[in-house]
Amino acid sequence: QVQLAESGGGLVQAGGSLRLSCAASGRAFSSYGMGWFRQAPGKEREFVAAISRSGGSTRYTDSVKGRFTISRDNAKNTVYLQMNSLNPEDTAVYYCVAARAWVTMPTNQGEIGAWGQGTQVTVSS
């Protein structure tokens, strides 16, 4: 089991950018597909982005395509979420996730083996 710690959240104006980082501890980080979920006030937890073990494949929810980029650096045991052109609708707690074994990219909650604690992103307008 891996432990995940997010950082990089904060307050930004609409149209601005932010980069989230997720540091993983534990064995075999490169064996895990990784991803990001978010939960806005009064909303259900939502899939945002996922990346395969080697970083060769990515997937995004439609609302962030073209604006967000997920990446990973396996040598640093870190996954990133670069967020550009932020909207107030992006305001949420963002969670880093690691997939269960045999899941290439975690896109639903049933495929997640570990959750980070979350980092708050607030976009003002």
Side-chain angles (χ1 to χ4, degrees):
Q1 187 178 26
V2 299
Q3 293 179 307
L4 308 173
E6 303 95 333
S7 63
L11 176 65
V12 65
Q13 284 196 312
S17 297
L18 212 57
R19 189 175 82 155
L20 306 183
S21 298
C22 173
S25 61
R27 54 194 283 250
F29 172 76
S30 63
S31 296
Y32 296 92
M34 302 291 293
W36 293 90
F37 281 66
R38 67 185 181 186
Q39 188 165 23
K43 302 293 185 180
E44 296 292 324
R45 195 164 296 183
E46 175 191 27
F47 165 74
V48 177
I51 189 166
S52 61
R53 296 173 182 86
S54 66
S57 298
T58 58
R59 185 175 176 182
Y60 301 90
T61 191
D62 286 344
S63 64
V64 309
K65 287 180 180 177
R67 300 189 297 119
F68 291 10
T69 302
I70 187 171
S71 61
R72 67 190 296 163
D73 187 340
N74 287 347
K76 296 181 178 180
N77 286 7
T78 303
V79 63
Y80 305 95
L81 186 67
Q82 178 67 47
M83 304 184 294
N84 299 326
S85 301
L86 285 162
N87 304 315
E89 292 76 23
D90 296 315
T91 295
V93 176
Y94 283 71
Y95 298 90
C96 179
V97 300
R100 291 181 172 181
W102 309 112
V103 176
T104 302
M105 293 184 289
T107 59
N108 63 72
Q109 296 187 54
E111 295 174 322
I112 296 169
W115 294 84
Q117 189 173 4
T119 185
Q120 177 70 49
V121 172
T122 302
V123 184
S124 64
S125 179

